[in-house]
Amino acid sequence: MNQPAQEWPLWEVFVRARAGLDHKHCGSLHASDAKMAIQMARDVYTRRQEGCSVWVVRADHITASDPQNKETYFDPAEDKVYRHPSFYRLPDAVDHM
Amino acid sequence: MQASISIHDSPELRYVLRLADTCLILAQRLGQWCGHAPVLEEDIALTNMALDLIGQARALYTHAGDLHATLNGVRYDEDQLAFLRDERDYFNPTLVELPNALDGSAAPGDFAQTVLRNCMIASLLVLVWTALLRSNDKALAAIAEKAIKEARYHQQHYADWVVRLGDGTDVSAKRMQHALGLLWPYVSELFVEDAIDRAAATQGLGPAWSTLRASWMSQMQSVLEAAQLQVPQLNAFCSTGRCGVHSEHMGFLLAEMQHLQRAYPGAVW
Amino acid sequence: MYTQAMDTAPKDATPAVRSADEAALQTRFDARIDAGEFIEAKDWMPAHYRKTLIRQISQHAHSEIVGMLPEGNWITRAPTLKRKAILLAKVQDEGGHGLYLYAAAETLGVSRDELLEALHSGQAKYSSIFNYPTLTWADVGTIGWLVDGAAIMNQVPICRCSYAPYARAMIRICREESFHQRQGFDALLTMMQQGTDAQRAMVQDAVNRWWWPCLMMFGPPDDQSPNSAQGMRWGIKRISNDELRQKFVDATVEQARVLGVSLPDPALQWNAARGHWDFGAIDWSEFWQVVGGEGPCNRERLSARVNAWQAGAWVREAAMAHAQKHTIQQEAA
């Protein structure tokens, strides 16, 4: 081996708790390959029946938004209150709409 | 000191104990890895396998206790069966009792030997549990239904490890081939046919392990081939743990495992 | 989980603010901290905050994996199949907790291998409690009851710490941890109530040996714990060492009574004026001795970790080599 001390890559783990729910990020782990990452995710993160399906993705394959863009990207949604159903006051008779 | 229990000499009881002891004794060996594995993730995976095996052993001992009660009216609980038998009354194949490094080469153990043995035993247990799904002993079939899922995962996880290490670096290939040389001689015993297995097969209790040999060999051969390892020739040596005559390692294993139960008669844990 | 407020690393000098930009970032960071906001991995943070967190989280992680060893001693000797399964699951959880914590530390830009290297070289610390030996089966239950109990006192406040990846790891850990203390107490209660005299003596002996080291787990007294104020501000420490210690003593006295064991402290006495239990003086020279490497098992614990790591090197290398070969094959195909 040319690089004996190479660390196993880091993987992010996403678990579906029950059928019908989204996969949710629950942590990370190290594994040498994708199949091992899936198995280790099962062993590390579903020991208490936390899941029925797991996704793993190499951490270095994730592109994240820059926290410095937080205001630029996300604050503009703040004043679009008309997107929310609670914005509309309807007569009681049809308010379950 | 707490005295040993005596076990009824019935083939069906021994048949169940062979399987129960296989699970328990391998779990005992795997428990020695806890906190010492090559990487944290695998430490957790090894313990999961040990926990599955203990769960299977407990179900089987409880069932064996029931069987014992129908045979001569004496009911033993899981712990009496697990902890209070004499060495000759344990019927696991010798393979599972061997130390984690049979050649004494490594502490806490040789991971090559461990993954290979786990793969060998899990492959065997998948076949045993599959056949037991059709057992005419309903309780045994129910245990098999739960255990088969666990065994399939163990088989997959450790077959993958055998392939990774066999086809990894020159060092790992050498270590795997060495492990194979150490453990393979204990294969013969797994599939020896005897009166106990014949009786089980005849009664519809479960398979004679000898009938599983061909499937096991072909599965192991394909794993070992993918791992680029050479399957050794089997010679005349045949271990005899399944008949109660064990290796010299078994006495130490039992002394450690039974220590508290033996030393504190009447204790409740 | 086993935190220990040791604050043994040298106190870092607060770095001089270099630029107006950085000053603005610092002001903004401080405002977020004061507003009780969470800091995420990619957010700007002062170097001192990052360094302190790496130290605390990794000490924590090391404590988990070294903490597997004393109880792990008893896995092969557990007296019943049920207790064997419980103990295995518990020690395994500690490994899992170490894993979650290493992952939290890794978000701060340090690798797990670097953290392990610091442990193995003796540069990083772990909780001193694991340098004590487990001599009997009752030690296993006592560790669950007292050591995990002390740890829970320490760790629950950290679930609200300002660094979100650490807080999330702690929430997960706390959720899993609650079984640890209960199983320990349950194991002791079984021996005390249904067991033999020999077993009861075994329990009392274990409690006698673990009590004082457990009180030391909360770290030096507040007046000797220089980093606490900064830690409080950052929310990576929320309750002082002495307060937590008192809380632990108050909770434990009643549990000991239910169990039927005595706590080895003649000065232990209810103080109606304070509304707390008074307890005797702690021998801090013992604490510093153990932290300094001269406890009963320091060398064994560390060498067990180092051996496992070194003996596993060929496995980790081979798995990487295998993965690389097959990636190359797939790309070529």
Side-chain angles (χ1 to χ4, degrees), chain A residues 10-52:
Chain A
L10 189 68
W11 302 73
E12 298 301 331
V13 179
F14 299 81
V15 173
R16 185 199 295 286
R18 287 196 315 276
L21 299 182
D22 292 329
H23 283 78
K24 191 168 168 251
H25 182 247
C26 74
S28 44
L29 51 77
H30 288 275
S32 60
D33 57 63
K35 196 172 178 201
M36 187 201 280
I38 287 281
Q39 291 177 9
M40 296 307 195
R42 176 261 190 199
D43 282 315
V44 172
Y45 288 105
T46 68
R47 301 199 303 282
R48 290 178 167 81
Q49 293 186 294
E50 292 96 333
C52 63

Side-chain angles (χ1 to χ4, degrees), chain A residues 4 6-8 30 47-48, chain C residues 93 106 111 316-317 324:
Chain A
Q6 194 186 356
E7 192 170 14
W8 288 357
H30 288 275
R47 301 199 303 282
R48 290 178 167 81
Chain C
D93 272 355
E106 286 177 271
S111 73
R316 297 188 300 275
E317 282 163 27
Q324 276 157 359

